[in-house]
């Protein structure tokens, strides 16, 4: 299918409106059914099984966005919690470095796919990075995952990318 110069703006506008129609996860009512959730929020970026037969529907705005919202459903398919995970106040309670049970799969289930994966010579493994905002300041979350898939540490830092791209 090819787009003419006349239809391209209309197609772009339709795509923008479709994305804008997707609901805000934090406004979803506790107790909503899975079907209501999908109707209000659209298709999740990922879905994960939870212990006890529940399911996590993940709505990530990564890689360019700053939020990852997890909608947890119980075994009967009803919403029991909605949480925006990229919140600096939650990192110490959520991320469990050097605990063999907190692994790469747990990171994905919590934060979704990272903005980027890098390596440095001072760490044997990968560093996964997410963008988020803290008090309207762009920040980065770095999680260090060793070759066996265990989370070894994490830290946060300023995201200077937007400042570098801003016109002077």
């Amino acid at each position: 299918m090819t787009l003419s110069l006349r239809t391209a703006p209309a197609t772009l506008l339709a795509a923008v409106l479709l994305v804008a129609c997707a609901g805000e996860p934090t406004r979803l009512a506790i107790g909503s059914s899975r079907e209501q959730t999908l109707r209000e929020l659209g298709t999740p970026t990922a879905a994960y099984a939870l212990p006890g037969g529940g399911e996590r529907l993940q709505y990530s705005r990564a890689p360019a966005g700053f939020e990852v919202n997890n909608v947890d459903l119980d075994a009967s398919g009803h919403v029991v919690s909605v949480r925006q995970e990229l919140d600096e106040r939650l990192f110490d309670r959520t991320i469990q470095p050097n605990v063999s049970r907190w692994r790469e799969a747990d990171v994905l289930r919590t934060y979704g796919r990272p903005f980027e994966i890098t390596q440095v010579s001072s760490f044997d493994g990968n560093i996964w990075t997410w963008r988020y905002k803290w008090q309207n300041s762009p920040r980065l979350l770095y999680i260090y995952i060793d070759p066996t898939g265990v989370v070894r540490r994490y830290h946060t830092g300023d995201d200077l990318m937007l400042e570098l791209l801003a016109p002077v």
Side-chain angles (χ1 to χ4, degrees):
M1 176 175 119
T2 60
L3 296 175
S4 71
L5 289 177
R6 253 184 300 202
T7 60
T11 304
L12 180 60
L13 178 62
V16 168
L17 289 174
L18 184 62
V19 169
C21 288
E24 174 58 38
T26 57
R27 294 185 183 160
L28 188 65
I30 300 298
S32 297
S33 69
R34 186 179 196 283
E35 293 73 29
Q36 288 172 299
T37 302
L38 295 174
R39 215 174 15 259
E40 286 187 39
L41 303 180
T43 304
T45 53
Y48 301 96
L50 293 175
E55 180 182 25
R56 171 166 289 166
L57 303 178
Q58 193 170 74
Y59 292 88
S60 174
R61 297 202 173 130
F66 299 97
E67 293 182 6
V68 173
N69 289 282
N70 288 327
V71 178
D72 289 351
L73 309 174
D74 62 16
S76 67
H78 291 89
V79 174
V80 292
S81 72
V82 178
R83 187 160 96 167
Q84 201 294 93
E85 296 290 350
L86 291 174
D87 183 331
E88 210 164 275
R89 297 168 295 191
L90 300 175
F91 296 157
D92 280 342
R93 289 182 270 169
T94 304
I95 302 169
Q96 300 174 33
N98 293 315
V99 177
S100 62
R101 70 180 191 281
W102 223 72
R103 308 180 59 79
E104 187 175 301
D106 300 297
V107 175
L108 283 172
R109 189 174 35 259
T110 304
Y111 300 112
R113 295 271 170 217
F115 165 65
E116 69 180 356
I117 298 174
T118 57
Q119 294 182 330
V120 295
S121 61
S122 61
F123 177 73
D124 183 23
N126 292 321
I127 304 167
W128 292 19
T129 308
W130 289 263
R131 299 174 73 219
Y132 71 99
K133 282 196 175 178
W134 178 246
Q135 299 177 345
N136 270 346
S137 295
R139 304 274 293 154
L140 296 169
L141 167 64
Y142 302 95
I143 297 181
Y144 293 69
I145 302 174
D146 75 15
T148 66
V150 174
V151 172
R152 291 299 172 189
R153 66 180 181 264
Y154 81 94
H155 69 88
T156 61
D158 293 327
D159 182 355
L160 302 176
M161 184 182 306
L162 295 178
E163 290 180 20
L164 295 173
L165 298 175
V168 179

